[in-house]
Amino acid sequence: MKVIHREKIMVCVHYGPHGERLIRRGVQLSEMIGAPLFVLNVDSSDCDEYNQSKEMFMTVWKRLAEEAGAEFMIRKRQGRKTTDVIVEAAMEKEVTQIIVGQSAQTRWQELTKRNFINELIGKMNMIDLHVVAVQRMRAGLEETHEEGVISYLVKEGNDYYLSDEPNGDTPLKGKFFHELHTEFENGLFRIEQDGKARYLHICEGRLTDPL
């Protein structure tokens, strides 16, 4: 009797807005071929210190994974190579296809090496690798703000507040760009109106511009 090998897909994400795009690419592929989907974050931090931006990305990724019926995984690097952690998780879940972002080499420690992709391929055996090109933000915004994450403006009384969850009756979805070098929720909230991008100012988590 012929054995049918079932496809399984794993998306590798790290901190930044590209993770959302990679997950959505994984969702599209999994739906197209009817394959289970896993989302992997390799945590390279040496401690459990709270990081607000990190938690914002995590919240978005977990929500996207949950909506797609995917399993979200966090694996500590603990001094190992990121490629080893990726392959270990892939083998455990019997993954047949892996998706990574092309621009991730600026953020993952091993990915700063030119041979990362070749190293990953060499360890994957029969696993297919998809390398997705990701676009960078406007240079001017990159110099002053962190990369954007999907967020919401929720109404409380007469004011709108920033949230990572679509709470309330009519939450406004957009992307929040956190201002560099500040611990407060200060930055820009981008929405699309009439096919054009509009940037609203956020100060300490509250909208200061009129809608």
Side-chain angles (χ1 to χ4, degrees):
M1 183 176 67
K2 183 178 179 180
V3 178
I4 299 177
H5 184 67
R6 189 182 184 190
E7 297 289 333
K8 294 183 179 181
I9 302 167
M10 186 172 75
V11 179
C12 301
V13 293
H14 202 66
Y15 310 119
H18 305 319
E20 179 189 347
R21 178 178 177 183
L22 292 175
I23 293 173
R24 295 192 185 281
R25 178 64 63 87
V27 171
Q28 290 175 350
L29 183 58
S30 69
E31 291 178 346
M32 183 173 61
I33 65 178
L37 179 65
F38 303 91
V39 178
L40 172 68
N41 171 244
V42 179
D43 189 354
S44 60
S45 62
D46 296 326
C47 64
D48 295 325
E49 182 179 352
Y50 177 78
N51 183 296
Q52 184 178 21
S53 296
K54 173 181 173 180
E55 290 300 319
M56 289 179 65
F57 288 124
M58 286 288 190
T59 299
V60 172
W61 297 338
K62 288 178 181 178
R63 183 170 65 245
L64 288 174
E66 181 179 350
E67 291 174 351
E71 179 180 343
F72 184 77
M73 304 181 295
I74 302 175
R75 297 295 171 87
K76 288 283 188 179
R77 194 162 61 86
Q78 297 178 326
R80 297 176 294 167
K81 289 187 174 182
T82 300
T83 52
D84 290 334
V85 180
I86 292 174
V87 173
E88 179 184 82
M91 296 293 290
E92 176 187 321
K93 299 297 182 180
E94 299 181 334
V95 166
T96 61
Q97 301 187 45
I98 293 177
I99 298 176
V100 299
Q102 187 177 38
S103 69
Q105 69 265 21
T106 61
R107 294 187 175 275
W108 290 21
Q109 183 172 345
E110 282 83 16
L111 294 183
T112 57
K113 301 178 181 180
R114 293 181 180 179
N115 66 346
F116 172 81
I117 297 298
N118 290 334
E119 181 180 330
L120 185 57
I121 292 174
K123 296 177 179 180
M124 291 194 316
N125 295 323
M126 299 300 294
I127 302 175
D128 294 331
L129 179 66
H130 301 265
V131 182
V132 179
V134 289
Q135 296 178 346
R136 293 177 59 83
M137 295 166 49
R138 280 191 305 117
L141 196 58
E142 284 182 325
E143 294 175 357
T144 56
H145 293 74
E146 295 177 359
E147 297 178 331
V149 294
I150 295 296
S151 303
Y152 301 85
L153 288 178
V154 297
K155 191 172 184 179
E156 296 182 15
N158 295 323
D159 295 320
Y160 284 86
Y161 292 88
L162 188 69
S163 173
D164 53 14
E165 296 288 345
N167 301 320
D169 296 329
T170 56
L172 183 62
K173 184 178 180 180
K175 272 195 174 182
F176 176 64
F177 298 86
H178 188 269
E179 185 178 345
L180 292 174
H181 312 303
T182 177
E183 296 180 358
F184 300 101
E185 288 186 332
N186 299 336
L188 297 173
F189 189 86
R190 187 181 71 189
I191 59 175
E192 299 292 331
Q193 289 186 334
D194 300 324
K196 296 182 180 180
R198 180 187 176 191
Y199 291 87
L200 305 172
H201 290 85
I202 303 294
C203 181
E204 297 187 4
R206 185 175 66 86
L207 177 68
T208 59
D209 290 336
L211 284 176

